[in-house]
Amino acid sequence: YENELTYHTHQQNGTEAEFHEAYEAAVDSVRADLGATHPLRIDGEAVETGDSFGVQSPGDFDLEIGEFAAGEAEEVEAAVDAASAAQPDWEAMEPEERTEFFTDAADLLRERKYEFAAALSLENGKNRTEAMADVDEAIDFLDFYSREFERTDGYRFDTGEPTPGQHTRNILRPYGVFGVIAPFNFPVAITMGMTAGALITGNTVVLKPASATPLVAHMYVDLLEDAGIPDGVINLVTGGGSDVGNPLVEHEDVAGVAFTGSRAVGLGIQETFSELGKRGPVIAELGGKNPVIVTDEADLDDAVEGVMKGAFSFSGQKCSATSRVYVDESLIDEFTDRLVAETEELTIGEPTAEDTFVSPLIDDSALEHYLEIAEKAREDGEVLTGGAEVEDDALPEGRYVEPTVVADIPHEHELATEEHFVPFLTVHPISDLEEGIEKSNDSEYGLCAGIFSEDESEVEQWFDEIESGMCYANRSQSATTGALVQAQPFGGWKFSGTTGKFAGGYWYLQQFMREQTQTRVE
Ligand code: NAD
């Protein structure tokens, strides 16, 4: 198979001026349509419920994103019934027949990408470039998974005649109905990636998006419907985590779950599967506590820039965010001074503004958590910068907080061991690379890790010894975040990813299928 990396969508966004112009036009048009009421989508029909919830923009509480139907067990039941009824015909299609819906959806998404990026900025607070990267990654998922499924002929292999007169095929087949449960932080790419994985392989889906980001999930279902996907193949049930999530996971006809989100919820889903004796997969992509080592052989310019961007892009609300940095004691003072000075220069602003780097936090519990850990950091360590809400009358009412750098926190302290999912970074001294690796690995997580060292042998040693799915050396663009579909398959070790196969990689789709060997005597 030729490993051609021909299509990454982010390389096709035109000049910067064209990008900003198109994005701004899309923000105006998306804003004009906000505030609508959105029912559930079951079996191709709009379904009203007795209850609903409103979503406001995290960057401007006066901006009503919309009112969304709140589903419960009854609606989950109807959605699973629709998905079960649609599944046999969906599975019976030839690989190219099914993938065509997704390559067509990718084409439509290319046409609508600015609209999606604008909606994303308004709904979940991503700045322009982060929003566009989320959409571009989604396009890449749709294209790559389609091409992979076609390339493998839908994972069907003719094994020939083991004995004369007997003919055998070894194939992968879908499980049936998948529940797809998505997080708020990559609500376009991850939602589309997981859903496309389940659907392309012949399963049908009940999708439950995060409560903070239901609008872009509706836009995704529109996309698939506009690409002609049959009724019942994808069903959308918005609502609360446990109101919708629990009945979906527990439903006897839901064979498997694709989940991306926090460790606690993901492990809970696995436990439910095991308690109920369910045999299908729970494909779980969980959190991270991503370490970076800066050795005495590091280029400090690269290290400061990479750590700052890794920690504070999208306000640290990334599973891959850099959250602890281990710096050789010979340069920790200089590193920290420069990191603090450069962090204080970052622009905190409205998500749609051109120069915004740090965007607002998603919801009230994230804000409360941020303020709580900032207080704890003041008590147990030293806050070098940040630790407070932004006071700026020019900003609309939203959840704007300062990126925070903290020193003098012991390596074992909960601030340095738990995932916080806000812009919060702890800095720790190390005496050598070995100590850095040992402390990096002393974690239940193993998602992303970084190193800054100009010494090739240090980098090689680190690649050999670091316990992490994603390992990045000397990346000033961002120490630990950012992966390209197919080129850099994304996933974690340990409690960061409990099933092990990486999103956007060559082994991802097989997880949604079970194996069958068919022998016939002719
Ligand atoms: P979350 O766990 O709070 O929510 C994820 C989804 O689970 C949401 O749709 C939520 O409504 C749903 N949910 C909540 N309770 C549920 C229940 N009892 N049963 C079923 N579903 C339930 O996560 P989040 O705050 O949306 O996202 C942030 C988390 O996601 C972080 O921990 C981050 O590290 C992780 N994440 C991991 C990856 C990865 O690839 N490893 C990528 C992105 C995000």
Side-chain angles (χ1 to χ4, degrees), residues 324-367:
R324 48 193 177 119
V325 56
Y326 298 103
V327 189
D328 191 278
E329 55 203 6
S330 65
L331 29 101
I332 191 165
D333 290 342
E334 189 186 351
F335 172 86
T336 312
D337 288 349
R338 289 177 57 180
L339 178 70
V340 167
E342 293 195 25
T343 298
E344 288 174 352
E345 294 296 310
L346 290 173
T347 308
I348 307 168
E350 279 191 79
T352 55
E354 185 174 345
D355 59 351
T356 292
F357 185 84
V358 183
S359 40
L361 294 180
I362 190 72
D363 58 22
D364 288 341
S365 73
L367 176 61

Short mmCIF file of all heavy atoms in Angstrom, two decimals, residues 324-367:
data_model
loop_
_atom_site.label_atom_id
_atom_site.label_comp_id
_atom_site.label_asym_id
_atom_site.label_seq_id
_atom_site.Cartn_x
_atom_site.Cartn_y
_atom_site.Cartn_z
N ARG A 324 2.34 19.36 32.49
CA ARG A 324 3.44 19.37 33.47
C ARG A 324 4.75 19.39 32.68
O ARG A 324 4.86 18.70 31.66
CB ARG A 324 3.36 18.19 34.44
CG ARG A 324 3.14 16.86 33.75
CD ARG A 324 2.75 15.73 34.70
NE ARG A 324 2.49 14.53 33.93
CZ ARG A 324 3.16 13.39 34.03
NH1 ARG A 324 4.12 13.25 34.93
NH2 ARG A 324 2.85 12.34 33.28
N VAL A 325 5.69 20.19 33.16
CA VAL A 325 6.94 20.28 32.43
C VAL A 325 8.10 20.09 33.41
O VAL A 325 8.11 20.69 34.49
CB VAL A 325 7.04 21.59 31.61
CG1 VAL A 325 6.85 22.84 32.44
CG2 VAL A 325 8.36 21.68 30.85
N TYR A 326 9.02 19.20 33.03
CA TYR A 326 10.18 18.85 33.86
C TYR A 326 11.42 19.46 33.21
O TYR A 326 11.80 19.07 32.11
CB TYR A 326 10.30 17.33 33.95
CG TYR A 326 9.09 16.70 34.60
CD1 TYR A 326 8.12 16.05 33.83
CD2 TYR A 326 8.88 16.81 35.97
CE1 TYR A 326 6.98 15.52 34.42
CE2 TYR A 326 7.75 16.27 36.57
CZ TYR A 326 6.81 15.64 35.79
OH TYR A 326 5.69 15.12 36.37
N VAL A 327 12.02 20.42 33.90
CA VAL A 327 13.09 21.21 33.29
C VAL A 327 14.39 20.98 34.06
O VAL A 327 14.41 21.03 35.30
CB VAL A 327 12.74 22.72 33.33
CG1 VAL A 327 13.75 23.51 32.49
CG2 VAL A 327 11.32 22.95 32.82
N ASP A 328 15.47 20.78 33.29
CA ASP A 328 16.78 20.60 33.92
C ASP A 328 17.07 21.79 34.84
O ASP A 328 16.89 22.95 34.46
CB ASP A 328 17.86 20.48 32.85
CG ASP A 328 19.17 20.02 33.46
OD1 ASP A 328 19.89 20.89 34.01
OD2 ASP A 328 19.44 18.81 33.43
N GLU A 329 17.55 21.47 36.06
CA GLU A 329 17.68 22.55 37.06
C GLU A 329 18.67 23.64 36.65
O GLU A 329 18.57 24.76 37.11
CB GLU A 329 18.03 21.97 38.44
CG GLU A 329 19.26 21.11 38.46
CD GLU A 329 19.26 20.13 39.65
OE1 GLU A 329 18.27 20.05 40.37
OE2 GLU A 329 20.28 19.44 39.79
N SER A 330 19.56 23.29 35.68
CA SER A 330 20.53 24.31 35.26
C SER A 330 19.87 25.42 34.45
O SER A 330 20.41 26.51 34.34
CB SER A 330 21.65 23.67 34.43
OG SER A 330 21.09 23.15 33.24
N LEU A 331 18.71 25.13 33.85
CA LEU A 331 18.07 26.19 33.06
C LEU A 331 16.65 26.50 33.47
O LEU A 331 15.96 27.26 32.77
CB LEU A 331 18.18 25.94 31.56
CG LEU A 331 18.25 24.57 30.98
CD1 LEU A 331 16.91 24.16 30.42
CD2 LEU A 331 19.26 24.65 29.86
N ILE A 332 16.23 25.97 34.61
CA ILE A 332 14.82 26.16 34.94
C ILE A 332 14.47 27.64 35.20
O ILE A 332 13.39 28.09 34.83
CB ILE A 332 14.39 25.24 36.12
CG1 ILE A 332 12.86 25.25 36.26
CG2 ILE A 332 15.06 25.64 37.44
CD1 ILE A 332 12.29 24.16 37.11
N ASP A 333 15.40 28.39 35.79
CA ASP A 333 15.06 29.79 36.08
C ASP A 333 14.85 30.58 34.79
O ASP A 333 13.87 31.29 34.64
CB ASP A 333 16.15 30.46 36.94
CG ASP A 333 16.13 29.89 38.35
OD1 ASP A 333 15.10 29.28 38.72
OD2 ASP A 333 17.15 30.01 39.06
N GLU A 334 15.79 30.39 33.86
CA GLU A 334 15.66 31.13 32.60
C GLU A 334 14.43 30.67 31.83
O GLU A 334 13.66 31.48 31.30
CB GLU A 334 16.93 30.91 31.75
CG GLU A 334 16.95 31.82 30.55
CD GLU A 334 18.12 31.56 29.61
OE1 GLU A 334 19.03 30.78 29.95
OE2 GLU A 334 18.10 32.15 28.51
N PHE A 335 14.23 29.35 31.78
CA PHE A 335 13.06 28.82 31.09
C PHE A 335 11.78 29.41 31.67
O PHE A 335 10.91 29.89 30.94
CB PHE A 335 13.04 27.28 31.20
CG PHE A 335 11.78 26.65 30.68
CD1 PHE A 335 11.65 26.34 29.33
CD2 PHE A 335 10.71 26.37 31.53
CE1 PHE A 335 10.47 25.79 28.83
CE2 PHE A 335 9.53 25.81 31.04
CZ PHE A 335 9.42 25.52 29.70
N THR A 336 11.68 29.37 32.99
CA THR A 336 10.43 29.80 33.63
C THR A 336 10.20 31.30 33.44
O THR A 336 9.08 31.72 33.14
CB THR A 336 10.46 29.44 35.14
OG1 THR A 336 10.88 28.09 35.25
CG2 THR A 336 9.10 29.57 35.76
N ASP A 337 11.26 32.09 33.59
CA ASP A 337 11.11 33.54 33.38
C ASP A 337 10.58 33.84 31.98
O ASP A 337 9.67 34.64 31.79
CB ASP A 337 12.45 34.27 33.54
CG ASP A 337 12.88 34.29 35.00
OD1 ASP A 337 12.05 33.95 35.87
OD2 ASP A 337 14.06 34.63 35.27
N ARG A 338 11.17 33.17 31.01
CA ARG A 338 10.74 33.43 29.63
C ARG A 338 9.34 32.90 29.36
O ARG A 338 8.54 33.53 28.67
CB ARG A 338 11.75 32.82 28.65
CG ARG A 338 13.06 33.60 28.68
CD ARG A 338 14.10 32.99 27.80
NE ARG A 338 13.64 32.87 26.41
CZ ARG A 338 14.39 32.37 25.43
NH1 ARG A 338 15.60 31.96 25.67
NH2 ARG A 338 13.92 32.30 24.21
N LEU A 339 9.05 31.73 29.92
CA LEU A 339 7.70 31.17 29.74
C LEU A 339 6.64 32.11 30.31
O LEU A 339 5.62 32.40 29.68
CB LEU A 339 7.62 29.80 30.42
CG LEU A 339 6.26 29.10 30.36
CD1 LEU A 339 5.95 28.65 28.94
CD2 LEU A 339 6.22 27.88 31.30
N VAL A 340 6.91 32.61 31.50
CA VAL A 340 5.95 33.51 32.15
C VAL A 340 5.80 34.79 31.33
O VAL A 340 4.69 35.26 31.05
CB VAL A 340 6.39 33.81 33.60
CG1 VAL A 340 5.61 34.97 34.18
CG2 VAL A 340 6.23 32.56 34.46
N ALA A 341 6.93 35.36 30.91
CA ALA A 341 6.87 36.62 30.15
C ALA A 341 6.09 36.42 28.86
O ALA A 341 5.22 37.23 28.50
CB ALA A 341 8.29 37.11 29.85
N GLU A 342 6.34 35.32 28.15
CA GLU A 342 5.66 35.12 26.87
C GLU A 342 4.19 34.76 27.07
O GLU A 342 3.33 35.15 26.29
CB GLU A 342 6.38 34.05 26.05
CG GLU A 342 7.75 34.57 25.63
CD GLU A 342 8.41 33.78 24.52
OE1 GLU A 342 7.70 33.13 23.74
OE2 GLU A 342 9.65 33.80 24.46
N THR A 343 3.91 34.04 28.14
CA THR A 343 2.51 33.69 28.42
C THR A 343 1.71 34.96 28.69
O THR A 343 0.55 35.08 28.27
CB THR A 343 2.45 32.72 29.63
OG1 THR A 343 3.14 31.53 29.29
CG2 THR A 343 1.02 32.39 30.02
N GLU A 344 2.31 35.90 29.37
CA GLU A 344 1.60 37.15 29.68
C GLU A 344 1.33 37.99 28.43
O GLU A 344 0.49 38.88 28.45
CB GLU A 344 2.35 37.94 30.75
CG GLU A 344 2.21 37.24 32.10
CD GLU A 344 3.03 37.85 33.23
OE1 GLU A 344 3.87 38.73 32.96
OE2 GLU A 344 2.83 37.40 34.39
N GLU A 345 2.02 37.66 27.36
CA GLU A 345 1.78 38.38 26.09
C GLU A 345 0.65 37.76 25.26
O GLU A 345 0.24 38.32 24.26
CB GLU A 345 3.06 38.35 25.22
CG GLU A 345 4.23 39.12 25.81
CD GLU A 345 3.92 40.60 25.91
OE1 GLU A 345 3.48 41.19 24.92
OE2 GLU A 345 4.10 41.15 27.02
N LEU A 346 0.20 36.58 25.64
CA LEU A 346 -0.82 35.91 24.83
C LEU A 346 -2.12 36.71 24.84
O LEU A 346 -2.50 37.29 25.86
CB LEU A 346 -1.11 34.50 25.38
CG LEU A 346 0.00 33.46 25.20
CD1 LEU A 346 -0.37 32.17 25.94
CD2 LEU A 346 0.23 33.17 23.71
N THR A 347 -2.80 36.72 23.70
CA THR A 347 -4.06 37.47 23.62
C THR A 347 -5.22 36.58 24.06
O THR A 347 -5.46 35.52 23.47
CB THR A 347 -4.31 37.94 22.18
OG1 THR A 347 -3.14 38.62 21.75
CG2 THR A 347 -5.52 38.84 22.08
N ILE A 348 -5.90 37.04 25.09
CA ILE A 348 -7.09 36.33 25.55
C ILE A 348 -8.27 37.10 24.97
O ILE A 348 -8.36 38.32 25.17
CB ILE A 348 -7.19 36.36 27.09
CG1 ILE A 348 -5.88 35.85 27.70
CG2 ILE A 348 -8.39 35.57 27.58
CD1 ILE A 348 -5.76 36.10 29.20
N GLY A 349 -9.14 36.43 24.23
CA GLY A 349 -10.17 37.24 23.59
C GLY A 349 -11.35 36.44 23.10
O GLY A 349 -11.44 35.23 23.31
N GLU A 350 -12.24 37.16 22.43
CA GLU A 350 -13.43 36.51 21.86
C GLU A 350 -12.97 35.49 20.83
O GLU A 350 -12.06 35.76 20.03
CB GLU A 350 -14.29 37.56 21.16
CG GLU A 350 -15.15 38.33 22.11
CD GLU A 350 -16.17 39.15 21.33
OE1 GLU A 350 -17.17 38.56 20.90
OE2 GLU A 350 -15.95 40.34 21.17
N PRO A 351 -13.62 34.33 20.82
CA PRO A 351 -13.17 33.27 19.93
C PRO A 351 -13.10 33.70 18.46
O PRO A 351 -12.19 33.28 17.75
CB PRO A 351 -14.24 32.19 20.11
CG PRO A 351 -14.90 32.49 21.41
CD PRO A 351 -14.73 33.94 21.68
N THR A 352 -14.03 34.52 18.03
CA THR A 352 -14.05 34.84 16.60
C THR A 352 -13.11 35.98 16.23
O THR A 352 -12.93 36.27 15.06
CB THR A 352 -15.48 35.21 16.15
OG1 THR A 352 -15.94 36.29 16.99
CG2 THR A 352 -16.42 34.04 16.26
N ALA A 353 -12.49 36.64 17.22
CA ALA A 353 -11.59 37.77 16.91
C ALA A 353 -10.30 37.26 16.27
O ALA A 353 -9.80 36.19 16.64
CB ALA A 353 -11.29 38.55 18.18
N GLU A 354 -9.76 38.04 15.34
CA GLU A 354 -8.64 37.54 14.54
C GLU A 354 -7.41 37.20 15.37
O GLU A 354 -6.71 36.23 15.11
CB GLU A 354 -8.27 38.58 13.47
CG GLU A 354 -7.20 38.06 12.53
CD GLU A 354 -6.91 38.99 11.35
OE1 GLU A 354 -7.72 39.89 11.08
OE2 GLU A 354 -5.86 38.79 10.73
N ASP A 355 -7.12 38.01 16.39
CA ASP A 355 -5.85 37.80 17.10
C ASP A 355 -5.97 36.97 18.38
O ASP A 355 -5.02 36.83 19.12
CB ASP A 355 -5.20 39.16 17.42
CG ASP A 355 -6.12 40.02 18.27
OD1 ASP A 355 -7.30 39.64 18.44
OD2 ASP A 355 -5.67 41.07 18.76
N THR A 356 -7.13 36.41 18.65
CA THR A 356 -7.31 35.63 19.89
C THR A 356 -6.47 34.36 19.89
O THR A 356 -6.50 33.60 18.93
CB THR A 356 -8.79 35.24 20.09
OG1 THR A 356 -9.52 36.44 20.34
CG2 THR A 356 -8.97 34.28 21.24
N PHE A 357 -5.74 34.15 20.96
CA PHE A 357 -5.05 32.86 21.14
C PHE A 357 -5.76 32.05 22.22
O PHE A 357 -6.13 30.91 22.01
CB PHE A 357 -3.58 33.07 21.50
CG PHE A 357 -2.83 31.77 21.57
CD1 PHE A 357 -2.31 31.20 20.42
CD2 PHE A 357 -2.67 31.09 22.77
CE1 PHE A 357 -1.65 29.97 20.46
CE2 PHE A 357 -2.01 29.86 22.82
CZ PHE A 357 -1.50 29.31 21.67
N VAL A 358 -5.96 32.67 23.39
CA VAL A 358 -6.59 31.95 24.51
C VAL A 358 -8.09 32.25 24.49
O VAL A 358 -8.50 33.40 24.57
CB VAL A 358 -6.00 32.39 25.86
CG1 VAL A 358 -6.62 31.59 27.00
CG2 VAL A 358 -4.49 32.22 25.86
N SER A 359 -8.87 31.20 24.40
CA SER A 359 -10.32 31.39 24.28
C SER A 359 -11.01 31.00 25.61
O SER A 359 -10.35 30.50 26.52
CB SER A 359 -10.83 30.57 23.10
OG SER A 359 -10.18 29.34 23.06
N PRO A 360 -12.32 31.23 25.72
CA PRO A 360 -12.99 31.02 27.01
C PRO A 360 -13.18 29.55 27.39
O PRO A 360 -13.09 28.67 26.55
CB PRO A 360 -14.35 31.68 26.79
CG PRO A 360 -14.55 31.70 25.33
CD PRO A 360 -13.21 31.79 24.69
N LEU A 361 -13.48 29.32 28.66
CA LEU A 361 -13.77 27.96 29.14
C LEU A 361 -15.20 27.58 28.80
O LEU A 361 -16.09 28.42 28.73
CB LEU A 361 -13.56 27.88 30.66
CG LEU A 361 -12.12 28.07 31.14
CD1 LEU A 361 -12.05 27.97 32.66
CD2 LEU A 361 -11.19 27.04 30.51
N ILE A 362 -15.40 26.28 28.68
CA ILE A 362 -16.64 25.78 28.10
C ILE A 362 -17.88 25.98 28.99
O ILE A 362 -18.94 26.35 28.52
CB ILE A 362 -16.51 24.28 27.70
CG1 ILE A 362 -17.70 23.82 26.88
CG2 ILE A 362 -16.32 23.38 28.92
CD1 ILE A 362 -17.76 24.35 25.49
N ASP A 363 -17.73 25.70 30.30
CA ASP A 363 -18.96 25.77 31.12
C ASP A 363 -18.63 26.19 32.55
O ASP A 363 -17.46 26.37 32.92
CB ASP A 363 -19.75 24.45 31.08
CG ASP A 363 -18.93 23.27 31.56
OD1 ASP A 363 -17.94 23.47 32.30
OD2 ASP A 363 -19.27 22.13 31.20
N ASP A 364 -19.68 26.33 33.36
CA ASP A 364 -19.48 26.85 34.72
C ASP A 364 -18.64 25.90 35.56
O ASP A 364 -17.85 26.34 36.40
CB ASP A 364 -20.83 27.08 35.41
CG ASP A 364 -21.53 28.27 34.80
OD1 ASP A 364 -20.85 29.09 34.15
OD2 ASP A 364 -22.76 28.39 34.96
N SER A 365 -18.80 24.59 35.35
CA SER A 365 -18.03 23.70 36.22
C SER A 365 -16.54 23.78 35.87
O SER A 365 -15.68 23.67 36.75
CB SER A 365 -18.57 22.28 36.20
OG SER A 365 -18.25 21.67 35.01
N ALA A 366 -16.20 24.03 34.60
CA ALA A 366 -14.79 24.22 34.24
C ALA A 366 -14.24 25.49 34.90
O ALA A 366 -13.12 25.49 35.42
CB ALA A 366 -14.64 24.31 32.72
N LEU A 367 -15.05 26.54 34.90
CA LEU A 367 -14.60 27.79 35.52
C LEU A 367 -14.40 27.61 37.03
O LEU A 367 -13.38 28.02 37.58
CB LEU A 367 -15.62 28.90 35.24
CG LEU A 367 -15.33 30.24 35.90
CD1 LEU A 367 -13.99 30.81 35.45
CD2 LEU A 367 -16.46 31.24 35.61
#
